[in-house]
């Protein structure tokens, strides 16, 4: 695994608007590391005109200043009422995590192979346009097939998941995933001298323990030295969580091998298969004991024990697959389809985000094209759907980019109303995804926002949304009236470059959009100054979502009943995107689709 691949494709969460990038960091990583090493070595080994106590104090202050940082937080929907908090670590400390993961990728992959249950362990992605890693199961269909094959000789299904897996992982158990708990504890008890002696002698366990301890320290440095939880968002967190989960799988199999338990695991969701209710009860208690050793717990609310036959796919998924868009009247089909998905959302109120995402992929990828004379009814319905559940705003943005030639003044007026409503409803309660994507929708179609809306965004203290607002204001001129950023600028001082607002502080100052209280704020931070002098950016106002099938104004003029091209011909143009569609459709929790 190339470290640059992790930094370029596996650093920032995929849920961010497309203006956020880490390519510059990846391209310059060698020079960044060389310059930082030269600076730090010089500062910690060379006494100047200081006394010994002064030199020691300066070194201690240097270590303290650069030893840890806080993550940018980005809240996304997790159902209608709950949230998932994604995190963006500071590059100063994340590059150490990425370096360590790439260094031992072979050993890490070997640990993944020890699990007979995991269908979600990471595999290096070969497509440079995608994330650094992907899951072993490419789609829901792969997972479903694995579950069916695993359960074929069993009568009972036990379905459970680990409660708050990522946020409650104890980072010190990373060494357990490499060595097992007992061996790791043996090496933990050894003195530093003993450990170094064993490493020098070629003791592989000592080498792995020292490595795991370094990885533990690097992860904690990314989150202000906290040892509970790992940042959700970077690919490295998927890798680390699977290391721990695969070790749990191994211990679970050893414990229940005598009764031939079968199982599949996808991330933190377990599907366990046994032959009796007594065995089901035993495995629930057994896995809870194992999880307790790792300081984890079962989510009691999601434990299910069922005897076959049982439904292995939600009825609404079947209903959506059955739906056919009529060639004779696309407008009616569109209305019927949205009525169907709204009805499903009404019955599954807490899951509208991923139900709507699942249902709208067919329009996003152009699998179901919208004729020009059906656009208005589609536009009204999708805007209403986005108002109901703004977690689909990224999909809505891509669909509107696909059909940009269809958008008139009336369309933009409706989009503006949606943007205003979303920001008013969600900015005050720190719904970062909804606020940032509403702004990105405005920026994408050059829709001005009022001064009061800009003020609401500034008050969120949300780095992601405020950077987009600055782009709209300072570059695109899409904010009406003068905007007061003084509340942000007043906080651009002290250790803000290692705070939860690091990306806003760095990029806002670098682009000349914000004036810091301390004029030399970046130059006084040696690491960030290296990035600054190498012209490393984390935000580009001009980037945009990939458009899968750009619809030109005259391409689809009528319903299929009177179109010049047959429905089959129209659909064939998007077949090349079919593989991507399969991979992206199922970004919702897969367990909920089964």
């Amino acid at each position: 695994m190339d470290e640059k691949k992790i930094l370029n494709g596996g650093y920032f969460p995929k849920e961010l608007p497309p203006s956020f990038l880490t390519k510059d960091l990846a391209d310059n990583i060698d020079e960044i590391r060389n310059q930082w090493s030269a600076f730090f070595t010089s500062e910690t080994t060379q006494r100047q005109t200081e006394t010994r106590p002064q030199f020691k104090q300066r070194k201690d202050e240097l270590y303290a200043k650069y030893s840890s940082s806080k993550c940018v937080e980005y809240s996304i929907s997790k159902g209608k009422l709950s949230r998932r908090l994604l995190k963006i670590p500071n590059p100063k400390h994340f590059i150490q995590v990425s370096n360590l993961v790439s260094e031992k990728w072979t050993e890490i992959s070997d640990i993944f192979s020890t699990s007979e249950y995991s269908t979600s362990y990471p595999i290096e992605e070969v497509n440079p346009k995608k994330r650094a890693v992907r899951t072993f199961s490419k789609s829901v269909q792969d997972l479903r097939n694995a579950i069916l094959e695993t359960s074929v000789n069993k009568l009972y299904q036990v379905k459970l998941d680990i409660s708050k897996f990522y946020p409650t992982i104890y980072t010190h158990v990373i060494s357990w995933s490499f060595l097992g708990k007992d061996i790791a504890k043996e090496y933990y008890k050894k003195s530093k001298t003993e450990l170094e002696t064993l490493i020098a002698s070629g003791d592989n366990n000592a080498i792995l323990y020292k490595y795991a301890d370094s990885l533990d320290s690097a992860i904690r440095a990314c989150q202000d030295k906290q040892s509970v939880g790992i940042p959700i968002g970077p690919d490295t967190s998927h890798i680390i969580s699977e290391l721990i989960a695969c070790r749990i799988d191994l211990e679970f199999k050893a414990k229940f091998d005598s009764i031939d338990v079968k199982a599949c695991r996808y991330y933190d969701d377990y599907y366990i298969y046994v032959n009796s209710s007594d065995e089901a009860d035993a495995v629930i208690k057994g896995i809870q004991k194992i999880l307790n050793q790792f300081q984890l717990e079962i989510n009691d609310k999601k434990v299910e024990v069922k005897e076959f036959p049982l439904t292995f796919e939600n009825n609404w998924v079947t209903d959506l697959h059955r739906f056919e868009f009529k060639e004779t009247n696309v407008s009616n089909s569109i209305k019927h389809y949205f009525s169907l998905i709204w009805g499903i959302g009404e019955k599954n109120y807490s899951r509208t985000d991923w139900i709507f995402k699942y249902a709208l992929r067919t329009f996003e990828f152009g699998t179901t094209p919208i004729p020009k004379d059906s656009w208005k009814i589609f536009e009204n319905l999708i805007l209403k759907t986005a108002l109901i559940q703004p977690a689909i705003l990224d999909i809505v943005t891509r669909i509107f980019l696909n059909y940009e030639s269809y958008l008139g003044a009336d369309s933009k007026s409706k989009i503006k109303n949606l943007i205003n409503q979303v920001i008013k409803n969600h900015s005050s309660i720190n719904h970062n995804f909804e606020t940032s994507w509403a702004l990105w929708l405005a920026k994408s179609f050059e829709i001005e926002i009022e001064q009061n809306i800009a003020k609401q965004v500034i008050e969120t203290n949300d780095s992601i949304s405020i950077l987009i607002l600055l782009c709209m204001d300072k570059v695109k001129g899409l904010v009406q009236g003068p905007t007061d950023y003084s509340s942000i600028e007043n906080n651009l001082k002290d250790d803000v470059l290692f705070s939860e607002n690091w990306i806003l502080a760095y990029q806002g100052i670098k682009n000349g959009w914000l004036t810091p209280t301390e004029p030399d704020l970046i130059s006084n931070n040696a690491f960030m100054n290296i990035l600054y002098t190498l012209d490393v950016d984390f935000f580009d106002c001009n980037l945009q979502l990939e458009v899968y099938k750009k619809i030109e104004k005259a391409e689809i003029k009528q319903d299929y009943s009177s179109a010049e091209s047959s429905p089959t011909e129209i659909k064939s143009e998007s077949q090349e995107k079919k593989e991507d569609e399969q991979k992206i459709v199922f970004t919702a929790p897969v367990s909920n689709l089964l």
Side-chain angles (χ1 to χ4, degrees):
M1 172 71 76
D2 184 357
E3 179 188 12
K4 293 182 179 180
K5 176 179 282 190
I6 296 175
L7 291 174
N8 186 35
Y11 181 0
F12 283 5
K14 64 181 182 299
E15 291 83 359
L16 295 180
S19 51
F20 294 87
L21 74 160
T22 53
K23 184 178 183 300
D24 290 348
L25 184 71
D27 289 346
N28 289 280
I29 186 58
D30 294 333
E31 183 61 23
I32 291 167
R33 186 171 281 116
N34 289 339
Q35 288 193 28
W36 172 253
S37 178
F39 163 80
F40 199 77
T41 300
S42 172
E43 291 294 308
T44 56
T45 59
Q46 297 179 20
R47 278 176 59 185
Q48 300 166 4
T49 57
E50 310 151 300
T51 63
R52 185 178 295 277
Q54 288 173 333
F55 178 53
K56 182 180 183 303
Q57 181 179 350
R58 181 167 62 82
K59 283 203 305 181
D60 290 344
E61 289 173 353
L62 194 71
Y63 279 112
K65 179 177 180 177
Y66 294 103
S67 63
S68 68
S69 56
K70 295 180 180 179
C71 297
V72 175
E73 295 184 344
Y74 187 70
S75 167
I76 67 171
S77 173
K78 184 185 176 185
K80 183 70 176 178
L81 301 175
S82 60
R83 309 293 296 179
R84 174 175 282 118
L85 197 60
L86 305 183
K87 296 190 176 183
I88 308 170
N90 191 289
K92 166 66 181 72
H93 302 103
F94 182 77
I95 60 175
Q96 177 66 2
V97 176
S98 66
N99 178 256
L100 287 167
V101 168
S102 62
E103 177 188 326
K104 294 287 186 183
W105 181 249
T106 299
E107 289 84 351
I108 289 170
S109 297
D110 288 343
I111 292 173
F112 296 153
S113 67
T114 63
S115 172
E116 295 183 9
Y117 304 152
S118 179
T119 62
S120 56
Y121 65 84
I123 291 177
E124 186 174 358
E125 176 59 70
V126 296
N127 188 337
K129 294 183 179 180
K130 296 184 180 294
R131 303 290 297 184
V133 298
R134 65 167 180 84
T135 58
F136 172 72
S137 290
K138 294 181 181 179
S139 67
V140 166
Q141 192 59 51
D142 283 352
L143 176 58
R144 188 180 295 125
N145 291 343
I147 287 173
L148 289 173
E149 183 174 352
T150 302
S151 67
V152 68
N153 293 321
K154 300 296 179 180
L155 291 173
Y156 285 80
Q157 174 181 276
V158 179
K159 185 178 175 183
L160 55 85
D161 69 24
I162 303 172
S163 179
K164 299 178 182 178
F165 185 32
Y166 279 48
T168 59
I169 286 175
Y170 185 47
T171 61
H172 296 326
V173 307
I174 291 172
S175 61
W176 303 359
S177 63
F178 283 93
L179 301 169
K181 183 177 180 181
D182 292 339
I183 296 176
K185 285 194 169 184
E186 284 182 22
Y187 282 88
Y188 172 75
K189 294 175 183 177
K190 297 184 184 299
S191 68
K192 183 178 180 181
T193 302
E194 286 179 299
L195 193 62
E196 293 298 335
T197 301
L198 289 169
I199 290 171
S201 70
D203 186 310
N204 191 55
N205 284 342
I207 294 169
L208 281 178
Y209 179 81
K210 180 67 179 296
Y211 165 80
D213 187 57
S214 298
L215 184 56
D216 171 17
S217 297
I219 292 165
R220 286 188 285 114
C222 287
Q223 47 190 17
D224 206 23
K225 299 185 179 180
Q226 293 183 43
S227 60
V228 177
I230 58 176
I232 306 173
D235 285 3
T236 49
S237 297
H238 176 199
I239 293 165
I240 292 159
S241 66
E242 276 290 329
L243 281 173
I244 296 165
C246 285
R247 173 59 64 173
I248 293 169
D249 293 347
L250 201 62
E251 297 198 12
F252 178 69
K253 177 175 171 53
K255 186 176 183 67
F256 290 101
D257 201 38
S258 60
I259 60 172
D260 193 30
V261 167
K262 302 295 183 183
C264 278
R265 179 180 55 76
Y266 191 83
Y267 289 96
D268 57 354
D269 294 315
Y270 277 91
Y271 302 85
I272 304 169
Y273 299 97
V274 293
N275 278 321
S276 69
S277 58
D278 288 342
E279 288 182 356
D281 185 56
V283 298
I284 292 170
K285 293 176 180 177
I287 197 168
Q288 180 63 80
K289 287 182 179 179
I290 295 169
L291 290 174
N292 285 343
Q293 294 175 11
F294 285 81
Q295 301 193 18
L296 298 166
E297 293 182 347
I298 288 176
N299 187 340
D300 291 339
K301 295 179 180 179
K302 292 188 178 181
V303 176
E304 294 179 359
V305 179
K306 292 184 178 180
E307 184 178 6
F308 285 96
L310 55 87
T311 302
F312 58 87
E313 186 172 47
N314 285 337
N315 290 334
W316 66 264
V317 176
T318 304
D319 291 341
L320 288 176
H321 278 290
R322 284 177 182 162
F323 190 91
E324 293 184 13
F325 286 85
K326 302 296 183 183
E327 298 178 9
T328 54
N329 196 329
V330 179
S331 294
N332 275 346
S333 291
I334 290 170
K335 286 188 284 186
H336 294 157
Y337 189 71
F338 276 88
S339 180
L340 173 62
I341 64 176
W342 285 8
I344 293 168
E346 183 181 14
K347 293 175 183 177
N348 300 271
Y349 182 75
S350 65
R351 302 175 179 179
T352 53
D353 57 341
W354 52 267
I355 289 171
F356 289 174
K357 287 180 180 182
Y358 182 91
L360 293 177
R361 297 298 188 184
T362 187
F363 305 116
E364 182 183 11
F365 285 87
T367 309
T368 301
I370 309 300
K372 175 67 173 176
D373 60 0
S374 297
W375 174 254
K376 283 301 177 186
I377 186 66
F378 176 82
E379 178 181 84
N380 288 335
L381 287 166
I382 197 167
L383 287 172
K384 180 70 172 182
T385 306
L387 181 62
I388 296 167
Q389 181 47 272
I392 65 166
L393 280 174
D394 53 341
I395 296 174
V396 171
T397 302
R398 182 176 272 117
I399 291 172
F400 281 173
L401 288 169
N402 287 342
Y403 292 91
E404 191 169 6
S405 63
Y406 288 5
L407 304 182
D410 181 58
S411 301
K412 292 193 175 183
S413 177
K414 292 175 185 176
I415 295 172
K416 182 172 182 176
N417 288 334
L418 171 67
I419 291 164
N420 289 341
Q421 281 289 98
V422 169
I423 293 176
K424 287 176 182 177
N425 293 342
H426 294 270
S427 63
S428 62
I429 50 178
N430 295 321
H431 286 186
N432 310 133
F433 178 96
E434 291 84 344
T435 304
S436 61
W437 275 99
L439 288 167
W440 191 254
L441 183 61
K443 180 264 174 190
S444 298
F445 298 101
E446 299 184 345
I447 296 171
E448 284 189 332
I449 63 170
E450 288 83 9
Q451 196 174 25
N452 67 310
I453 295 295
K455 183 180 178 182
Q456 288 182 49
V457 173
I458 291 170
E459 289 173 352
T460 65
N461 199 35
D462 167 18
S463 291
I464 303 304
S465 297
I466 294 171
L467 273 173
I468 296 172
L469 177 68
L470 285 164
C471 158
M472 294 177 66
D473 187 14
K474 305 291 188 178
V475 180
K476 304 297 182 182
L478 294 173
V479 179
Q480 296 175 2
T483 306
D484 183 7
Y485 297 100
S486 60
S487 61
I488 299 171
E489 293 175 327
N490 289 340
N491 289 318
L492 298 181
K493 58 185 178 180
D494 302 329
D495 63 348
V496 68
L497 290 168
F498 284 154
S499 76
E500 61 273 13
N501 291 315
W502 69 263
I503 192 170
L504 173 61
Y506 173 82
Q507 201 67 54
I509 295 169
K510 183 177 184 297
N511 288 7
W513 296 342
L514 297 172
T515 303
T517 301
E518 295 180 11
D520 298 327
L521 185 67
I522 290 182
S523 61
N524 287 337
N525 185 304
F527 181 82
M528 288 300 190
N529 193 53
I530 291 169
L531 302 188
Y532 183 86
T533 56
L534 292 173
D535 199 25
V536 172
D537 282 310
F538 296 100
F539 182 89
D540 185 341
C541 203
N542 297 312
L543 295 178
Q544 188 53 277
L545 291 170
E546 178 187 359
V547 176
Y548 300 132
K549 186 179 188 301
K550 187 78 169 179
I551 305 298
E552 301 303 333
K553 195 170 272 189
E555 186 172 344
I556 306 174
K557 296 181 178 179
Q558 301 172 343
D559 278 2
Y560 293 142
S561 56
S562 58
E564 293 182 6
S565 298
S566 69
T568 304
E569 290 170 339
I570 294 171
K571 288 186 178 181
S572 67
E573 294 175 0
S574 63
Q575 289 301 307
E576 64 190 43
K577 297 298 180 183
K578 189 173 183 180
E579 182 180 349
D580 280 339
E581 181 181 8
Q582 288 176 335
K583 291 178 182 176
I584 301 179
V585 160
F586 305 111
T587 56
V590 175
S591 61
N592 294 323
L593 299 176
L594 300 170

